[in-house]
Amino acid sequence: MKLATKDLLGMKELSAEEIRYILYQAEIMKHILLQDAKKTPHLQGRTVVTLFYENSTRTRLSFELASKYMSANAANITASGSSVQKGESLIDTAKTLDAMATDVIIIRHQMSGAPHLIAKNVNAAVINAGDGMNEHPTQALLDLLTMKEKKGQIEGLRVAIIGDVAHSRVARSNIYALQKLGAEVVVGGPSTLLPRDIATLGVEVYENVESALRGADVVMCLRLQKERQQNGLLPSMREYSKFFGVDEKRLALAKPDALIMHPGPVNRGVELTSGVMSLDRAVINEQVTNGVAVRMAVLNILAKRSGHYGNFN
Ligand code: CP
């Protein structure tokens, strides 16, 4: 099976069948990842470049490791060390990478829609590694893989997404993907951090955490995005943790075996207490492992389809 487009820009654009196909491929890749010798020839001769205009630990490193485990030529550029600092535009930077016969460009950018703009202007496959407040599709895919592994299936799960939904590309990608696979999505958080039109996405909305947590199979806490807060949306981190942080008492409202997830990086003691993070059913590190498997799968699917080889249809 092929994806309908040469790029992975968002979960909104993928069909349920395409999502299931990527997850199936990721399960295969996870077997490779867990071997002692993590080296396959899948991407031999292909070139993968990460182009990050925002900070990252998990996403950037897991794409780099995934590329290397599959024998690709992997390189990375950050905005701070590149000709972006000399005034080069986003499109010109992307075209420069394309001119070097790069097969896959992985981009993180503070502007929603930046990957979509690049995708229209290059032959390479473009992967969205997080664009502003829009989408972070590979994060949603690794979250789905983790839920599927731990709960057997996505369909029928009640997933509570808690916290700073307004600024969260992770929330948006998960909402699209979970609903396509038949899960029920609930969001909860301070009213100032819930987008006014969020209910139009078909989710249940609560302006408190307790109602959102009740009966949840999965509790997904979001990072409080200090860098994207406008003045006045949030009184203080302390107040947030007091009224919206997930501690053992609030967690008891969810199902007893509810998974605890977080995309990372966690503001420990703010979104989640250390006690909750240390529970066996907190799967934050497993999410990180699955991030490598998912990115191996996505690269393997897309790298051979870039326009440089004339085999895209
Ligand atoms: N979850 C996530 O995107 O983490 P990084 O910012 O470390 O990549």
Side-chain angles (χ1 to χ4, degrees):
M1 183 183 164
K2 288 178 178 176
L3 302 189
T5 62
K6 75 172 171 68
D7 312 294
L8 175 59
L9 301 176
M11 300 308 291
K12 193 176 183 179
E13 288 87 358
L14 290 183
S15 67
E17 194 190 3
E18 288 174 319
I19 297 170
R20 285 194 199 97
Y21 172 64
I22 297 171
L23 294 179
Y24 171 70
Q25 294 293 318
E27 283 166 353
I28 297 170
M29 291 301 172
K30 187 149 179 196
H31 288 293
I32 297 170
L33 178 64
L34 297 180
Q35 287 171 6
D36 286 341
K38 304 174 198 26
K39 201 74 176 177
T40 79
H42 283 85
L43 298 186
Q44 208 146 37
R46 310 287 168 169
T47 300
V48 176
V49 177
T50 57
L51 173 60
F52 274 51
Y53 289 75
E54 282 188 342
N55 295 339
S56 168
T57 298
R58 290 151 201 76
T59 312
R60 202 181 101 179
L61 183 58
S62 59
F63 268 119
E64 283 179 29
L65 291 176
S67 307
K68 286 175 179 163
Y69 293 158
M70 293 194 295
S71 308
N73 308 307
N76 75 77
I77 303 179
T78 53
S80 61
S82 72
S83 292
V84 169
Q85 293 302 320
K86 300 178 193 165
E88 188 168 54
S89 74
L90 177 63
I91 291 180
D92 285 342
T93 301
K95 283 184 171 171
T96 302
L97 303 185
D98 210 38
M100 295 181 196
T102 300
D103 296 291
V104 184
I105 299 172
I106 300 155
I107 175 165
R108 171 171 287 191
H109 200 282
Q110 62 278 8
M111 191 179 82
S112 297
H116 307 66
L117 186 66
I118 287 188
K120 285 191 205 131
N121 284 281
V122 296
N123 293 311
V126 175
I127 299 175
N128 179 0
D131 63 325
M133 299 188 281
N134 182 37
E135 283 226 41
H136 191 350
T138 55
Q139 177 69 43
L141 286 163
L142 73 89
D143 292 337
L144 293 174
L145 181 62
T146 309
M147 287 181 222
K148 187 162 179 276
E149 277 181 358
K150 299 290 175 186
K151 293 288 180 190
Q153 61 176 39
I154 308 289
E155 193 177 357
L157 290 179
R158 184 172 172 87
V159 180
I161 302 181
I162 305 293
D164 186 359
V165 180
H167 298 101
S168 179
R169 51 201 181 203
V170 174
R172 233 167 301 283
S173 283
N174 266 293
I175 290 169
Y176 293 133
L178 284 163
Q179 290 182 334
K180 285 179 190 188
L181 296 194
E184 191 180 13
V185 184
V186 183
V187 300
S191 56
T192 50
L193 296 180
L194 295 173
R196 238 184 301 170
D197 61 349
I198 189 74
T200 62
L201 295 184
V203 298
E204 280 179 46
V205 185
Y206 296 100
E207 294 182 5
N208 66 82
V209 172
E210 288 78 6
S211 305
L213 287 174
R214 208 155 275 129
D217 296 289
V218 177
V219 177
M220 183 184 292
C221 292
L222 301 171
R223 182 173 72 84
L224 201 55
Q225 301 200 19
K226 287 176 271 183
E227 72 276 23
R228 289 189 231 275
Q229 300 294 341
Q230 290 145 19
N231 286 343
L233 290 185
L234 191 68
S236 70
M237 299 288 262
R238 229 173 93 190
E239 198 154 330
Y240 179 90
S241 100
K242 185 171 169 200
F243 292 106
F244 300 98
V246 174
D247 56 12
E248 281 89 337
K249 190 163 167 240
R250 289 200 176 110
L251 184 63
L253 294 164
K255 288 195 179 152
D257 60 349
L259 292 184
I260 300 131
M261 303 179 71
H262 192 297
V266 180
N267 293 303
R268 192 178 273 269
V270 178
E271 299 109 12
L272 289 165
T273 61
S274 289
V276 169
M277 285 178 73
S278 63
L279 295 173
D280 284 345
R281 56 200 170 96
V283 292
I284 298 164
N285 287 333
E286 276 115 312
Q287 288 174 261
V288 174
T289 306
N290 285 339
V292 184
V294 155
R295 285 159 184 140
M296 288 170 78
V298 168
L299 286 171
N300 190 41
I301 293 166
L302 295 183
K304 295 163 190 161
R305 299 198 63 202
S306 78
H308 294 300
Y309 294 88
N311 62 352
F312 177 71
N313 56 43

